[in-house]
Structure formats: C-alpha cells, structure tokens
Amino acid sequence: MTESSPFEIVNSAGSSGILLLCDHATNIVPEAVNGGDLGLPPADMGRHIAYDLGARGVTLELARLLDAPAVLSRFSRLVIDPNRGEDDPTLVMRLYDGTIIPANRHITEAEKARRLAAYHRPYHHAVTAEIDRMLAEGRTPALVAIHSFTPRLVGRVPRPWHVGILWHHDGRIALPLMERLRQEPDLCIGDNEPYTGQLEGDSMSRHGTGRGLAHVLIELRHDLIETEADQRLWAARLAPMLSEVVGTLEDKPAQ
C-alpha cells in the first residue's frame, strides 16, 4: 500500500477463514479528484454521506480478534462507491441525504470512467486477489463486510435498529447470525434493514454470490461505534458470534 493507494490490506497472513471487507472505510478525496476537494465543507465530509463512521475501527479490531485478513477502501464513497456495480446509477452520487455534491453535480462520463479505473476497480481487484490467495492456501473464505448507518436520515423518522443484517440469495451466515443476535436482550436487529441486501452488482453480489462464497453484510448504527472504545466493544461482541457461525459452514451446502 502507498499513500495514494485506493485500498488497504491488513493482516494478510491471518489464519482465519474469514475475509473482512470495509467498502466505506474513509472519507479521503484523492488529490486527482478535483484537487482533493469535492466542494463540501468539512462538516459534510465528516457525515455518513462521505463514509461509514466507525466501520474502519470495527473492521481493524475484528481482524485482530479473529486473526482475519481485511481489505479496506481508501477513498470516499462520494468519489465513487465501491459497494455499487459499475452500471449502477448511484455509483457517483450527485445528491445524498439532502446534500448536493458540487464536484459530482456535472460529472462527465470520462471522469466517471477515470474514477472507475483509478479507485473502484483496483479495490475490487485487491478483494479478488485476497480471495484467490486464500483459496490457493486451501481455505474457502467466508466474506464479512462491515458497514455503518446513520441513526436518522434528513426528514425521516429515527431508525430503531442497532444492527442490520443484509443478505440476498445466500443465508448461510446471515440467518444464524440474526438468530444469535436476537438472543441479546438489548438489541433490535434488522433483517435487510435499514437497507436491502438484494442489490445486484454490489460487493457481496460480486465477490460472494458471483463466486459461490458464503457472505454477509453487517450494518452497525454509527452512534453506537463513534469512539475507539465503542468500536472495540462491538468487535468483541461480534467476533465470537462470527466464529461460531462460520465454524458451522462446512455442514451447509452452497446456495
């Protein structure tokens, strides 16, 4: 990884059968994108529209606790969204949660293609390379993507969920993980809430469904993981559940 790399790989030598992904890990705007400035004030770049607050810290702590490799993005979702297919109309957002993104408002097809080549594709190539490496070592990776969501969108009602589990065709991890989380009396768990996991072309569709690998996307409400201490606590809470669920995958057929 270099300072300008669009991805970060952590603990590549980890022994776990889990591969962690963090698609929206940072709010970095590379210098090559409008001089490193999307035209938004710092307050907006610090909001959920620019990245998933707390998700990177949870991912890094999970990588440590599980001894798992992790691939994390190093560019803002507003530059280009790695959790969208290349033909998705929301790949580059012009308006997000009531905020106009000035540098994206009149983006050309040429600039969109450049961002695809410079950021989106290298990130996914890195994920593919980690999967291939684990398979070559005789381990079939289970993919776990860590995201976070805002407690409330502008003008909308508060979201009650503490954790959302997103999934589509393959419930090998999602279903038992939700069952385990629902045993926790202090948690409200969303099944494909606050977003749907049924999004063709997203990261889990591309690397999980597309390759027949068990996978799940975990959404944590970001007010619960604002501090490093909270991020460590949530990683410590999730790690044994993920180990337990993924440990039973050999007994379940691919879906």
Side-chain angles (χ1 to χ4, degrees):
M1 184 190 74
T2 66
E3 285 301 311
S4 60
S5 175
F7 60 86
E8 174 183 9
I9 298 177
V10 173
N11 198 28
S12 186
S15 63
S16 174
I18 293 173
L19 175 61
L20 296 162
L21 307 183
C22 191
D23 297 325
H24 302 144
T26 77
N27 60 356
I28 294 171
V29 180
E31 184 69 21
V33 177
N34 202 47
D37 187 349
L38 294 173
L40 292 173
D44 277 332
M45 289 303 299
R47 294 174 57 215
H48 69 97
I49 62 172
Y51 71 122
D52 283 355
L53 284 76
R56 182 177 186 273
V58 173
T59 302
L60 294 178
E61 183 65 3
L62 280 172
R64 187 186 72 82
L65 293 173
L66 296 169
D67 193 26
V71 183
L72 305 92
S73 71
R74 297 194 74 250
F75 55 92
S76 171
R77 68 196 300 167
L78 295 179
V79 170
I80 194 164
D81 194 335
N83 195 36
R84 295 292 185 272
E86 293 192 7
D87 60 350
D88 193 297
T90 64
L91 182 66
V92 177
M93 295 293 281
R94 293 171 169 82
L95 175 71
Y96 197 167
D97 196 19
T99 297
I100 293 172
I101 318 305
N104 294 346
R105 190 173 184 181
H106 302 296
I107 189 171
T108 65
E109 288 302 311
E111 173 60 10
K112 186 182 297 185
R114 191 192 69 80
R115 294 187 197 181
L116 268 172
Y119 311 112
H120 190 281
R121 288 175 184 156
Y123 172 76
H124 285 289
H125 291 162
V127 175
T128 296
E130 284 299 295
I131 292 171
D132 290 344
R133 180 188 60 77
M134 293 176 76
L135 289 170
E137 294 173 356
R139 291 180 290 160
T140 300
L143 308 183
V144 177
I146 303 298
H147 288 246
S148 71
F149 65 96
T150 182
R152 185 174 189 165
L153 291 169
V154 174
R156 305 287 185 88
V157 299
R159 291 163 158 174
W161 311 283
H162 301 98
V163 184
I165 303 298
L166 276 55
W167 65 289
H168 192 187
H169 305 288
D170 188 342
R172 283 177 290 170
I173 299 177
L175 296 176
L177 181 58
M178 280 191 287
E179 182 179 355
R180 175 63 186 82
L181 284 164
R182 285 171 176 152
Q183 296 173 18
E184 303 287 303
D186 60 327
L187 296 182
C188 176
I189 307 302
D191 181 351
N192 276 323
E193 298 285 0
Y195 311 109
T196 179
Q198 301 174 4
L199 185 62
E200 300 295 346
D202 67 1
S203 287
M204 292 295 94
S205 171
R206 177 172 181 162
H207 299 290
T209 303
R211 300 191 66 168
L213 300 174
H215 57 278
V216 70
L217 191 155
I218 300 173
E219 289 271 6
L220 297 167
R221 206 176 70 203
H222 74 62
D223 60 318
L224 304 176
I225 53 171
E226 288 180 334
T227 68
E228 290 184 8
D230 289 336
Q231 292 157 20
R232 289 193 296 268
L233 285 172
W234 271 95
R237 195 170 191 177
L238 289 170
M241 299 183 194
L242 288 169
S243 292
E244 177 185 335
V245 170
V246 171
T248 67
L249 285 177
E250 290 184 2
D251 303 326
K252 299 176 183 179
Q255 299 181 19

